[in-house]
Structures are given as C-alpha cells and as structure tokens.
Amino acid sequence: MVLWASSFIALKIAFQGFSPMIVIWGRMIVGSLCFLFFLKQLRTVKYQAGDLKLLLFMAICEPCIYFIFEAKALQLTSASQAGMITSMMPLLVAVGASLFLNEKVSAQTMAGLTIAISGACWLSFSAEVTSDAPNPMLGNFFEFLAMVAASGYTLTLKHLSSRYSALFLTAVQSWVGAVFFSFFLFSPGVEFPTSPPLLPLTAIIYLGAGITLGAYLLFNYGVSRIPASQASAYINLIPVFAVILGFIVLGERFTWQQYLASVLVLLGVYISQRRPNPL
C-alpha cells in the first residue's frame, strides 16, 4: 500500500515531462522487461482450459481500463485527492462480491458505502481549482471509475489465485498492458520528447519496476493467501500515505472542508469494515 500510494506522486512527476499514454506504456514496458528474469519460473505454470477469458478480463480491468481512468484523473485532480478516492474500493469489492459471488452484504456495509460516497462527493465539491488540479471534481470521478475497474480485477484475481501463482498473474497483467497501451502511442497529441527529462523518466522506471512489478506482485500474493475483502481493506491505508507523500514531495495542501470530507470517507469505510461485537 505504501508503494501504491507513492505511484500517485510518481505519476504526477512523470506527467510533467511526458504525455499520459507514454507514461503508462513506459511503465508497462519496464514491468514486462523485469519479468524476463523470471521466465524459468513462468514456464512451469500449467494453464487450465477455459481460463483465458478470465485472465484477459482481469488484465483488461487492471491495468488497461484502470490506468486510462487514473491517468486522466491525475491530469485533473491532485495526488492527495485521488488517493482519498481509493478508500472506496473495499466497499465496491463488497458490493461486487454480493452481485457476482453471492456474498451477503449487510446493512452496516451499505450504510458505510453511503457515508463514504457522501464524503467523496464533498471532497470533490470543496476542492479548489489550481494549476495542478484544474478540474478536481471530474478528476475525482475518473478516479472513482478506476476503482470500479480495480474491484473487477480484485474479484477475478481472487478466483484465479487458487490455480495460478502471484508471479504469473502479475506477468499477465504487465504483458497484456504493454500490448494494449502500445496502440495509444499513435493517438493524436502523443509525442515523444526529443530530450527526455531525467526526473520524469526516473519516475516511469520506478512505476514499472517498483509498482507494476513490486506492488502488484505483493498484492497478488496477499490476495492468494487471505480473503479478497480482507486484502482490499488494506487499501484504506493508501489515502493516508498518499496525503503524507503529496504533502512532503509535491507540497499539496487540503482545505479544512477537504479534511472533514476525508474523515467522512474514512468513517464510512470503517463502518463498513467494522465487525459487530458478539452478544
């Protein structure tokens, strides 16, 4: 979660020197190259018939759809606000588990979801327009859509983790993402700089090796060992780390209304995750 929180900061830095699609494609290429060192282990994976659709759906949800929305979000909102929106993912996973895995969602979880959504809306409405966050309301909405895609990825990942290693599933994500985002390089407005700036370039390498390989590998391994809902609950730590890193590295600040809205989001998440005391 520390690594994932730092990705919001790294993306902001990378976008200062490269167009979003180049940044996302670059991190996918770096991550894919890292997996070449694990080809020996990956060759031992035994594919099970019928899993291709699930593997592709997992990778299409994240990184493909997820990164499209997140890249657009971080062009419009601050890294701190985007990090706060991620706290809603555990609730979305719970709702998705109810719809697709027939898991029961309690009234307490639904109440928490309502409170968290209210806090996220307040966070967006109270956001101030700055050069770093020109349209925070729309940016936060795009980040919410990214969380919807991430929920689909988490639920599918949990289903597949009983049959495939975390290393293999992470490699599939990286390789599919590299191919998917290569098509965006031909989009209008996408230009490679003649002299790549060092700091944004370093941020891309960090995103590929540290996040695409490191963070996803750690999370995929965790999901294979504990329930999906329990694993996704750790995502609640991302907003805390994102706000701290945004303050230290980028100098981002919240208004007093945004701090209250952030508390409301975290309160909703806490209510949804809290276990009732036994009588």
Side-chain angles (χ1 to χ4, degrees):
M1 294 309 114
V2 175
L3 289 173
W4 255 333
S6 70
S7 72
F8 293 102
I9 315 302
L11 281 169
K12 275 287 189 182
I13 294 173
F15 289 165
Q16 294 173 4
F18 300 92
S19 65
M21 287 304 107
I22 291 179
V23 172
I24 304 303
W25 174 78
R27 72 179 290 182
M28 290 289 101
I29 290 297
V30 172
S32 298
L33 291 175
C34 289
F35 281 105
L36 295 179
F37 294 99
F38 301 98
L39 282 179
K40 184 177 181 180
Q41 294 92 319
L42 292 172
R43 286 179 183 145
T44 62
V45 173
K46 295 182 179 179
Y47 169 77
Q48 297 194 25
D51 282 346
L52 180 60
K53 291 181 179 179
L54 287 174
L55 288 167
L56 287 177
F57 178 77
M58 177 194 70
I60 291 297
C61 283
E62 192 167 348
C64 300
I65 296 175
Y66 174 87
F67 282 157
I68 288 176
F69 283 126
E70 185 167 86
K72 192 62 180 177
L74 286 170
Q75 287 181 283
L76 301 173
T77 191
S78 67
S80 300
Q81 289 187 68
M84 282 304 307
I85 301 299
T86 62
S87 64
M88 298 179 64
M89 182 181 157
L91 307 183
L92 296 173
V93 171
V95 172
S98 172
L99 293 175
F100 302 109
L101 301 179
N102 296 320
E103 293 184 6
K104 186 178 179 181
V105 177
S106 66
Q108 178 176 308
T109 297
M110 292 307 299
L113 175 62
T114 303
I115 293 173
I117 290 177
S118 301
C121 291
W122 186 10
L123 181 70
S124 299
F125 281 115
S126 62
E128 297 179 347
V129 175
T130 65
S131 59
D132 197 45
N135 194 340
M137 187 183 302
L138 182 59
N140 290 346
F141 176 68
F142 282 141
E143 186 64 28
F144 172 77
L145 293 180
M147 290 305 103
V148 174
S151 300
Y153 147 73
T154 301
L155 293 170
T156 311
L157 171 68
K158 180 59 183 176
H159 181 72
L160 291 168
S161 62
S162 61
R163 301 195 286 277
Y164 301 100
S165 67
L167 181 68
F168 173 76
L169 293 173
T170 311
V172 169
Q173 285 181 271
S174 187
W175 289 335
V176 171
V179 173
F180 178 82
F181 284 105
S182 65
F183 293 103
F184 287 86
L185 298 179
F186 304 100
S187 302
V190 176
E191 297 181 1
F192 284 89
T194 53
S195 55
L198 180 59
L199 188 58
L201 182 61
T202 304
I204 292 177
I205 295 173
Y206 172 74
L207 286 164
I211 311 301
T212 301
L213 174 63
Y216 278 99
L217 183 60
L218 290 171
F219 182 74
N220 292 350
Y221 179 82
V223 169
S224 70
R225 294 294 187 270
I226 59 177
S229 58
Q230 186 179 344
S232 65
Y234 280 88
I235 291 172
N236 300 334
L237 296 172
I238 290 180
V240 180
F241 295 132
V243 170
I244 293 173
L245 291 171
F247 173 79
I248 295 173
V249 181
L250 301 178
E252 296 179 347
R253 302 290 192 277
F254 272 7
T255 65
W256 67 269
Q257 287 194 62
Q258 289 177 290
Y259 278 115
L260 291 177
S262 300
V263 170
L264 195 61
V265 172
L266 296 177
L267 176 63
V269 173
Y270 170 75
I271 290 174
S272 71
Q273 296 289 325
R274 182 174 175 270
R275 304 290 183 188
N277 293 326
L279 298 176

